[in-house]
Amino acid sequence: MRPLIAGNWKMNTLRADGSALVVGLIEQRAGEDPGCDILLCPPFVSLGLIGDIIAESPILLGAQDCHKEESGAYTGGISAPMLSDAGCGFVIVGHSERRAQYNETDFLVSEKARAAHENALVSIVCVGETLVDRDADNTLSVVEEQLLGSVPKGANAKNTVIAYEPVWAIGTGKTPKNIQIREVHDHLRMLLENNFADGNEFRILYGGSMNSANAGEILSIKNVNGGLVGGASLTVKDFWGICTSL
Ligand code: PGA
């Protein structure tokens, strides 16, 4: 399957930074197809701007979160239909920063993913253990509970991507050993196959301190079908380096 490399800009970039970044990536992509799909998830307020700039390029647009409801009295909320209307094809749900900072539960994440699917968006559902979980040898049971609780009925390989992001690896410069990544991705694949008819076709991304130096090795691990990249998605050199390391 064709890998997906997704850049999660988080709460970074003003309009000028985002435009410069995306123009640089378009230039690189025009000269070479690196053999993966490339997705950018800028802040909500930049979606229109970035969407306009990438309109004629193969680069894809996504958002970092959505509300579970379609519309209504939810001050500050952004709904899945709004994202679709703004040109997004993807939305990240259940990122560990949302789970930790906004108390998002597996059930809420599944509702957001359902709203995404109902509005023609591909959900990128994130799971991952904390260091406490890992040290207690609970990694597989934690990601299993998150996966089964966060991926809604009706999910399939076309409308859902899974991202495994160990919380302790995000933004820390630490990455799991290859064998640890492989163990979790194999477990997620088994769960997907046991629960969804096309479970062998879901893309399972790795995220957490991925950079152009470690991406080649991580992306060659079985059942790693791409990456979800935070810090290293904020410069053309680093992000393109990851895209071309397959
Ligand atoms: P990082 O973030 O690449 O900066 O570790 C990844 C993520 O949170 O998606």
Side-chain angles (χ1 to χ4, degrees):
M1 76 187 77
R2 191 170 160 95
L4 173 67
I5 305 293
N8 173 13
W9 293 4
K10 308 193 180 184
M11 198 171 74
N12 296 297
T13 68
L14 301 181
R15 292 164 62 86
D17 316 316
S19 317
L21 180 49
V22 80
V23 166
L25 289 170
I26 288 172
E27 274 170 22
Q28 297 292 335
R29 180 62 183 78
E32 178 189 358
D33 176 358
C36 60
D37 292 338
I38 299 174
L39 168 67
L40 301 180
C41 300
F44 288 128
V45 289
S46 297
L47 286 172
L49 173 71
I50 302 299
D52 285 346
I53 301 174
I54 63 174
E56 304 299 322
S57 88
I59 296 177
L60 304 164
L61 186 68
Q64 299 172 18
D65 180 45
C66 69
H67 201 282
K68 72 182 171 69
E69 300 295 339
E70 306 238 317
S71 62
Y74 303 100
T75 301
I78 307 280
S79 71
M82 291 173 184
L83 297 178
S84 234
D85 189 44
C88 290
F90 293 76
V91 60
I92 299 169
V93 293
H95 189 281
S96 62
E97 287 153 15
R98 303 273 334 165
R99 290 178 184 265
Q101 296 163 13
Y102 300 87
N103 299 315
E104 294 194 2
T105 61
D106 291 337
F107 181 67
L108 177 60
V109 175
S110 77
E111 292 278 282
K112 292 180 175 211
R114 180 193 45 74
H117 301 163
E118 286 170 0
N119 289 282
L121 296 168
V122 176
S123 62
I124 301 180
V125 179
C126 303
V127 300
E129 83 286 1
T130 63
L131 200 51
V132 172
D133 298 328
R134 180 160 283 278
D135 288 345
D137 223 4
N138 288 334
T139 299
L140 296 185
S141 60
V142 165
V143 298
E144 176 164 341
E145 188 176 334
Q146 288 177 336
L147 185 88
L148 298 179
S150 305
V151 178
K153 287 199 176 53
N156 58 52
K158 292 205 164 53
N159 67 17
T160 306
V161 172
I162 307 300
Y164 167 55
E165 298 204 308
V167 178
W168 53 273
I170 295 176
T172 58
K174 294 185 190 139
T175 51
K177 297 190 180 75
N178 291 353
I179 190 165
Q180 294 174 315
I181 297 176
R182 163 119 195 224
E183 182 186 33
V184 177
H185 280 244
D186 285 354
H187 191 69
L188 294 172
R189 176 68 67 206
M190 182 271 292
L191 293 169
L192 291 168
E193 286 178 351
N194 287 348
N195 288 280
F196 299 94
D198 59 354
N200 62 334
E201 290 169 32
F202 282 61
R203 290 196 276 204
I204 309 176
L205 313 184
Y206 169 79
S209 295
M210 190 181 259
N211 57 44
S212 51
N214 63 25
E217 211 175 312
I218 293 174
L219 293 168
S220 68
I221 299 170
K222 185 168 172 251
N223 283 321
V224 174
N225 314 115
L228 180 54
V229 186
S233 71
L234 294 172
T235 67
V236 175
K237 187 166 171 284
D238 290 337
F239 192 59
W240 187 250
I242 294 173
C243 294
T244 52
S245 68
L246 292 153

PDB file of all heavy atoms in Angstrom, residues 1 7-8 11 22 27 29 41 52 57 88 92 136 159 165 171 218 224 232 243:
ATOM      1  N   MET A   1       0.845  -1.204   0.000  1.00  0.00           N
ATOM      2  CA  MET A   1       0.000   0.000   0.000  1.00  0.00           C
ATOM      3  C   MET A   1       0.882   1.257   0.000  1.00  0.00           C
ATOM      4  O   MET A   1       1.993   1.218   0.513  1.00  0.00           O
ATOM      5  CB  MET A   1      -0.973  -0.023   1.181  1.00  0.00           C
ATOM      6  CG  MET A   1      -0.419   0.286   2.532  1.00  0.00           C
ATOM      7  SD  MET A   1      -1.627   0.021   3.865  1.00  0.00           S
ATOM      8  CE  MET A   1      -1.632  -1.770   4.062  1.00  0.00           C
ATOM      9  N   GLY A   7       1.974  15.689   8.090  1.00  0.00           N
ATOM     10  CA  GLY A   7       2.593  16.714   8.930  1.00  0.00           C
ATOM     11  C   GLY A   7       1.539  17.336   9.836  1.00  0.00           C
ATOM     12  O   GLY A   7       0.542  17.882   9.352  1.00  0.00           O
ATOM     13  N   ASN A   8       1.764  17.209  11.130  1.00  0.00           N
ATOM     14  CA  ASN A   8       0.859  17.801  12.114  1.00  0.00           C
ATOM     15  C   ASN A   8       1.538  19.064  12.650  1.00  0.00           C
ATOM     16  O   ASN A   8       2.444  18.975  13.470  1.00  0.00           O
ATOM     17  CB  ASN A   8       0.625  16.772  13.240  1.00  0.00           C
ATOM     18  CG  ASN A   8      -0.158  17.345  14.403  1.00  0.00           C
ATOM     19  OD1 ASN A   8      -0.751  18.430  14.306  1.00  0.00           O
ATOM     20  ND2 ASN A   8      -0.174  16.619  15.519  1.00  0.00           N
ATOM     21  N   MET A  11      -0.001  23.817  17.090  1.00  0.00           N
ATOM     22  CA  MET A  11      -0.310  25.252  17.198  1.00  0.00           C
ATOM     23  C   MET A  11       0.936  26.073  16.817  1.00  0.00           C
ATOM     24  O   MET A  11       1.484  26.815  17.625  1.00  0.00           O
ATOM     25  CB  MET A  11      -0.785  25.585  18.621  1.00  0.00           C
ATOM     26  CG  MET A  11      -1.520  26.926  18.697  1.00  0.00           C
ATOM     27  SD  MET A  11      -2.301  27.183  20.309  1.00  0.00           S
ATOM     28  CE  MET A  11      -0.889  27.542  21.347  1.00  0.00           C
ATOM     29  N   VAL A  22       4.741  25.588   2.689  1.00  0.00           N
ATOM     30  CA  VAL A  22       3.999  24.804   1.710  1.00  0.00           C
ATOM     31  C   VAL A  22       4.492  25.095   0.284  1.00  0.00           C
ATOM     32  O   VAL A  22       4.567  24.184  -0.553  1.00  0.00           O
ATOM     33  CB  VAL A  22       2.479  25.018   1.895  1.00  0.00           C
ATOM     34  CG1 VAL A  22       1.997  26.283   1.277  1.00  0.00           C
ATOM     35  CG2 VAL A  22       1.700  23.854   1.388  1.00  0.00           C
ATOM     36  N   GLU A  27       7.369  22.864  -4.443  1.00  0.00           N
ATOM     37  CA  GLU A  27       8.519  22.887  -5.368  1.00  0.00           C
ATOM     38  C   GLU A  27       9.219  21.536  -5.381  1.00  0.00           C
ATOM     39  O   GLU A  27       9.554  21.004  -6.434  1.00  0.00           O
ATOM     40  CB  GLU A  27       9.519  23.961  -4.929  1.00  0.00           C
ATOM     41  CG  GLU A  27       9.179  25.334  -5.478  1.00  0.00           C
ATOM     42  CD  GLU A  27      10.046  26.439  -4.843  1.00  0.00           C
ATOM     43  OE1 GLU A  27      11.145  26.117  -4.329  1.00  0.00           O
ATOM     44  OE2 GLU A  27       9.595  27.582  -4.862  1.00  0.00           O
ATOM     45  N   ARG A  29       7.954  18.618  -4.474  1.00  0.00           N
ATOM     46  CA  ARG A  29       7.045  17.576  -4.965  1.00  0.00           C
ATOM     47  C   ARG A  29       6.884  17.657  -6.483  1.00  0.00           C
ATOM     48  O   ARG A  29       6.684  16.633  -7.146  1.00  0.00           O
ATOM     49  CB  ARG A  29       5.684  17.708  -4.256  1.00  0.00           C
ATOM     50  CG  ARG A  29       4.635  16.683  -4.670  1.00  0.00           C
ATOM     51  CD  ARG A  29       5.069  15.259  -4.353  1.00  0.00           C
ATOM     52  NE  ARG A  29       4.096  14.280  -4.817  1.00  0.00           N
ATOM     53  CZ  ARG A  29       3.966  13.882  -6.079  1.00  0.00           C
ATOM     54  NH1 ARG A  29       4.745  14.371  -7.018  1.00  0.00           N
ATOM     55  NH2 ARG A  29       3.060  12.960  -6.396  1.00  0.00           N
ATOM     56  N   CYS A  41      -1.497  19.113   7.915  1.00  0.00           N
ATOM     57  CA  CYS A  41      -2.565  19.468   8.853  1.00  0.00           C
ATOM     58  C   CYS A  41      -2.195  20.758   9.576  1.00  0.00           C
ATOM     59  O   CYS A  41      -1.627  20.731  10.682  1.00  0.00           O
ATOM     60  CB  CYS A  41      -2.785  18.339   9.850  1.00  0.00           C
ATOM     61  SG  CYS A  41      -3.250  16.769   9.076  1.00  0.00           S
ATOM     62  N   ASP A  52      -5.694  26.752  -0.630  1.00  0.00           N
ATOM     63  CA  ASP A  52      -5.600  27.464  -1.915  1.00  0.00           C
ATOM     64  C   ASP A  52      -4.235  27.243  -2.553  1.00  0.00           C
ATOM     65  O   ASP A  52      -4.113  27.045  -3.761  1.00  0.00           O
ATOM     66  CB  ASP A  52      -5.816  28.973  -1.710  1.00  0.00           C
ATOM     67  CG  ASP A  52      -7.290  29.301  -1.477  1.00  0.00           C
ATOM     68  OD1 ASP A  52      -8.139  28.424  -1.737  1.00  0.00           O
ATOM     69  OD2 ASP A  52      -7.578  30.428  -1.034  1.00  0.00           O
ATOM     70  N   SER A  57      -1.689  20.994  -6.594  1.00  0.00           N
ATOM     71  CA  SER A  57      -0.617  20.020  -6.350  1.00  0.00           C
ATOM     72  C   SER A  57      -1.215  18.747  -5.765  1.00  0.00           C
ATOM     73  O   SER A  57      -2.359  18.731  -5.331  1.00  0.00           O
ATOM     74  CB  SER A  57       0.407  20.607  -5.367  1.00  0.00           C
ATOM     75  OG  SER A  57       0.010  20.333  -4.033  1.00  0.00           O
ATOM     76  N   CYS A  88     -10.803  20.098   3.302  1.00  0.00           N
ATOM     77  CA  CYS A  88     -10.047  19.020   3.946  1.00  0.00           C
ATOM     78  C   CYS A  88     -10.531  17.652   3.457  1.00  0.00           C
ATOM     79  O   CYS A  88     -11.714  17.457   3.209  1.00  0.00           O
ATOM     80  CB  CYS A  88     -10.255  19.037   5.458  1.00  0.00           C
ATOM     81  SG  CYS A  88      -9.492  20.427   6.270  1.00  0.00           S
ATOM     82  N   ILE A  92      -7.310  14.589  12.015  1.00  0.00           N
ATOM     83  CA  ILE A  92      -6.710  13.829  13.120  1.00  0.00           C
ATOM     84  C   ILE A  92      -7.708  13.842  14.283  1.00  0.00           C
ATOM     85  O   ILE A  92      -8.250  14.905  14.620  1.00  0.00           O
ATOM     86  CB  ILE A  92      -5.388  14.494  13.573  1.00  0.00           C
ATOM     87  CG1 ILE A  92      -4.375  14.536  12.427  1.00  0.00           C
ATOM     88  CG2 ILE A  92      -4.800  13.774  14.787  1.00  0.00           C
ATOM     89  CD1 ILE A  92      -3.142  15.425  12.719  1.00  0.00           C
ATOM     90  N   ALA A 136       5.055  -0.397  33.056  1.00  0.00           N
ATOM     91  CA  ALA A 136       4.239  -1.413  33.748  1.00  0.00           C
ATOM     92  C   ALA A 136       3.892  -2.565  32.807  1.00  0.00           C
ATOM     93  O   ALA A 136       3.082  -3.437  33.147  1.00  0.00           O
ATOM     94  CB  ALA A 136       2.969  -0.772  34.281  1.00  0.00           C
ATOM     95  N   ASN A 159     -11.810   4.990   4.976  1.00  0.00           N
ATOM     96  CA  ASN A 159     -12.165   6.199   5.745  1.00  0.00           C
ATOM     97  C   ASN A 159     -11.389   6.333   7.058  1.00  0.00           C
ATOM     98  O   ASN A 159     -11.614   7.304   7.793  1.00  0.00           O
ATOM     99  CB  ASN A 159     -13.687   6.261   5.993  1.00  0.00           C
ATOM    100  CG  ASN A 159     -14.220   5.163   6.908  1.00  0.00           C
ATOM    101  OD1 ASN A 159     -13.451   4.526   7.627  1.00  0.00           O
ATOM    102  ND2 ASN A 159     -15.527   4.951   6.897  1.00  0.00           N
ATOM    103  N   GLU A 165       1.267   6.502  18.343  1.00  0.00           N
ATOM    104  CA  GLU A 165       2.177   7.530  18.832  1.00  0.00           C
ATOM    105  C   GLU A 165       2.426   7.331  20.331  1.00  0.00           C
ATOM    106  O   GLU A 165       1.606   7.742  21.162  1.00  0.00           O
ATOM    107  CB  GLU A 165       1.573   8.922  18.617  1.00  0.00           C
ATOM    108  CG  GLU A 165       1.326   9.262  17.172  1.00  0.00           C
ATOM    109  CD  GLU A 165       1.311  10.768  16.951  1.00  0.00           C
ATOM    110  OE1 GLU A 165       0.583  11.479  17.660  1.00  0.00           O
ATOM    111  OE2 GLU A 165       2.050  11.229  16.082  1.00  0.00           O
ATOM    112  N   GLY A 171       7.718  14.706  20.669  1.00  0.00           N
ATOM    113  CA  GLY A 171       8.424  15.953  20.943  1.00  0.00           C
ATOM    114  C   GLY A 171       9.601  15.815  21.898  1.00  0.00           C
ATOM    115  O   GLY A 171      10.125  16.810  22.399  1.00  0.00           O
ATOM    116  N   ILE A 218      12.514   3.397  10.382  1.00  0.00           N
ATOM    117  CA  ILE A 218      11.177   3.182  10.970  1.00  0.00           C
ATOM    118  C   ILE A 218      10.171   2.793   9.888  1.00  0.00           C
ATOM    119  O   ILE A 218       9.367   1.874  10.064  1.00  0.00           O
ATOM    120  CB  ILE A 218      10.704   4.442  11.731  1.00  0.00           C
ATOM    121  CG1 ILE A 218      11.591   4.680  12.961  1.00  0.00           C
ATOM    122  CG2 ILE A 218       9.243   4.315  12.147  1.00  0.00           C
ATOM    123  CD1 ILE A 218      11.319   5.981  13.705  1.00  0.00           C
ATOM    124  N   VAL A 224       4.320  -0.777   9.305  1.00  0.00           N
ATOM    125  CA  VAL A 224       4.409   0.686   9.417  1.00  0.00           C
ATOM    126  C   VAL A 224       4.151   1.226   8.010  1.00  0.00           C
ATOM    127  O   VAL A 224       4.926   0.983   7.095  1.00  0.00           O
ATOM    128  CB  VAL A 224       5.785   1.155   9.942  1.00  0.00           C
ATOM    129  CG1 VAL A 224       5.876   2.682   9.904  1.00  0.00           C
ATOM    130  CG2 VAL A 224       6.012   0.652  11.364  1.00  0.00           C
ATOM    131  N   ALA A 232       9.299  17.861  13.068  1.00  0.00           N
ATOM    132  CA  ALA A 232      10.055  17.804  11.816  1.00  0.00           C
ATOM    133  C   ALA A 232       9.199  18.121  10.587  1.00  0.00           C
ATOM    134  O   ALA A 232       9.711  18.121   9.463  1.00  0.00           O
ATOM    135  CB  ALA A 232      10.716  16.437  11.662  1.00  0.00           C
ATOM    136  N   CYS A 243       9.832  12.393   3.749  1.00  0.00           N
ATOM    137  CA  CYS A 243       9.039  11.901   2.606  1.00  0.00           C
ATOM    138  C   CYS A 243       9.904  11.108   1.625  1.00  0.00           C
ATOM    139  O   CYS A 243       9.426  10.161   1.000  1.00  0.00           O
ATOM    140  CB  CYS A 243       8.390  13.073   1.862  1.00  0.00           C
ATOM    141  SG  CYS A 243       7.160  13.947   2.831  1.00  0.00           S
TER     142      CYS A 243
END
